[in-house]
Amino acid sequence: MLIRPMRDDDIAAARGLTHDALEIVRATTRPPGTPGPPPGPPSPSWSGLWTRRAKHFLQHDPDGCWVADRDGEVVGVALSLRRDKLWGLSSFFVRPDQQGAGIGTALLDAALTYSQGCLRGIIISTGDPRAARRYRLAGFTLHPTIRASGTVDRRALPVVDGVREGSPGDRDLCDSVDRQLRGAAHGADHEFLGSEFGLLVCDTLTGSGYSYVDDAGSPVVLAATTRKIAQRLLWSALARSPEGAQVHIDFLSAAQEWAVDVALAAGLPLRPEGYLCLRHMRPPAPYIPSGAFL
Ligand SMILES: CC(C)(COP(=O)(O)OP(=O)(O)OC[C@H]1O[C@@H](n2cnc3c(N)ncnc32)[C@H](O)[C@@H]1OP(=O)(O)O)[C@@H](O)C(=O)NCCC(=O)NCCS
């Protein structure tokens, strides 16, 4: 078994094994009675997004992207990024029939070589106990996280002012907020995030913040210098949710009570799911990380 740098022509196999591994971990770690999507092939929109994201990381972080290759077949993938002095793990998956045999350990070791020179580290973990074990043994602190998901109670939506549509011209503002909160900008990731998602910005005399938002009104990432501004941004994201759409607010550690309070007021049920794993840093707040761009 060979651990080697990932190439463009590995993307399809890496995407396929990621989908298969994700389906199993979601089904096995979901609390009893919690509905989930039916098993099936990946949707074209999921596959397209995964492919474009993998290309983005191969372009910007080629030394952070690794695959496990068994006799010419890709059986595992780890995609990691480095922004300023922050290292993050964006994807970490082993094909289900190959799990538990040490491949993940070898892949994570390779991805961690890309963290050399970084001061801090961040990973969003599923609830898979094998993933949690690997991350803790690599020196990360595990912060349990909450997922809020459901349909927004539109009667609860408050009138929010001071939030506007963002544009590429807001990139310096976003980078400045991120540096204050987590010591690192998202940098090149704004190109990707801005091309895939809507951007909301709030910039006032008392502070500033931004959020990328998907078509369902779910925040993809949200960062602000005050909790009040973060709440304004989150309400504005939820207000974009089309009638009846399923929204989700993910990866909320206990440091994000401002977001838990908004989720509850919007009628979204909470459940525990996974961990925010941090090395040499506290949970940034008020902040909702992106699973892929952290
Ligand atoms: C997480 C994952 C990438 C790890 O890869 P892997 O090849 O299975 O991992 P390894 O075999 O190298 O290591 C697994 C570790 O978990 C331990 N383990 C196995 N089953 C376990 C269980 N049920 N509970 C706790 N630990 C367990 C193993 O003993 C091993 O630890 P050790 O080497 O210190 O003894 C892989 O299991 C996977 O794809 N899981 C599903 C997707 C996922 O959740 N990915 C993480 C995304 S954040």
Side-chain angles (χ1 to χ4, degrees):
M1 214 256 317
L2 176 70
I3 303 293
R4 62 163 175 80
M6 184 173 171
R7 304 183 300 250
D8 263 347
D9 60 1
D10 296 320
I11 289 179
R15 186 183 64 222
L17 73 87
T18 295
H19 171 263
D20 295 348
L22 256 183
E23 281 225 316
I24 293 174
V25 77
R26 283 189 178 142
T28 52
T29 59
R30 195 177 296 129
T34 312
S43 69
S45 66
W46 182 88
S47 295
L49 184 66
W50 203 94
T51 301
R52 294 190 292 282
R53 210 166 54 201
K55 286 187 174 161
H56 173 82
F57 287 125
L58 282 172
Q59 181 189 346
H60 293 284
D61 302 272
D63 297 339
C65 302
W66 295 85
V67 292
D69 178 327
R70 170 155 284 161
D71 304 327
E73 249 187 291
V74 172
V75 294
V77 60
L79 304 178
S80 67
L81 57 87
R82 220 163 51 189
R83 300 288 173 268
D84 296 333
K85 295 276 182 211
L86 177 70
W87 174 89
L89 186 63
S90 175
S91 272
F92 179 45
F93 293 94
V94 169
R95 208 170 75 188
D97 63 344
Q98 303 284 322
Q99 291 171 2
I103 296 174
T105 306
L107 267 175
L108 186 60
D109 285 349
L112 279 165
T113 60
Y114 193 50
S115 74
Q116 278 163 19
C118 286
L119 302 175
R120 293 171 287 274
I122 181 168
I123 304 172
I124 302 280
S125 178
T126 61
D128 187 331
R130 294 164 300 191
R133 178 173 172 84
R134 291 272 63 90
Y135 300 151
R136 179 61 198 136
L137 291 177
F140 286 76
T141 299
L142 309 181
H143 301 266
T145 48
I146 296 167
R147 162 175 246 228
S149 63
T151 53
V152 173
D153 176 0
R154 306 198 64 81
R155 292 162 309 175
L157 291 171
V159 176
V160 172
D161 48 31
V163 175
R164 61 170 171 81
E165 298 281 329
S167 72
D170 291 306
R171 183 166 156 175
D172 286 349
L173 178 149
C174 300
D175 280 344
S176 156
V177 173
D178 282 334
R179 286 201 175 99
Q180 288 179 60
L181 285 177
R182 43 170 234 160
H186 275 93
D189 299 332
H190 288 296
E191 289 161 28
F192 184 91
L193 290 162
S195 66
E196 300 281 342
F197 305 107
L199 175 62
L200 296 175
V201 168
C202 185
D203 190 17
T204 71
L205 289 175
T206 53
S208 43
Y210 76 93
S211 180
Y212 287 100
V213 183
D214 73 11
D215 289 342
S218 305
V220 177
V221 59
L222 188 156
T225 55
T226 72
R227 287 192 295 274
K228 278 212 165 77
I229 288 178
Q231 286 187 323
R232 280 206 231 176
L233 286 161
L234 186 51
W235 276 120
S236 303
L238 297 180
R240 294 185 141 207
S241 167
E243 188 80 43
Q246 286 286 319
V247 300
H248 50 96
I249 311 172
D250 293 324
F251 320 131
L252 302 176
S253 67
Q256 315 304 336
E257 276 184 342
W258 63 271
V260 171
D261 291 344
V262 170
L264 291 176
L268 303 177
L270 311 179
R271 64 179 165 91
E273 184 171 296
Y275 307 89
L276 170 66
C277 313
L278 299 174
R279 195 159 72 169
H280 306 312
M281 66 191 282
R282 290 170 192 275
Y287 188 65
I288 300 176
S290 145
F293 297 98
L294 307 307

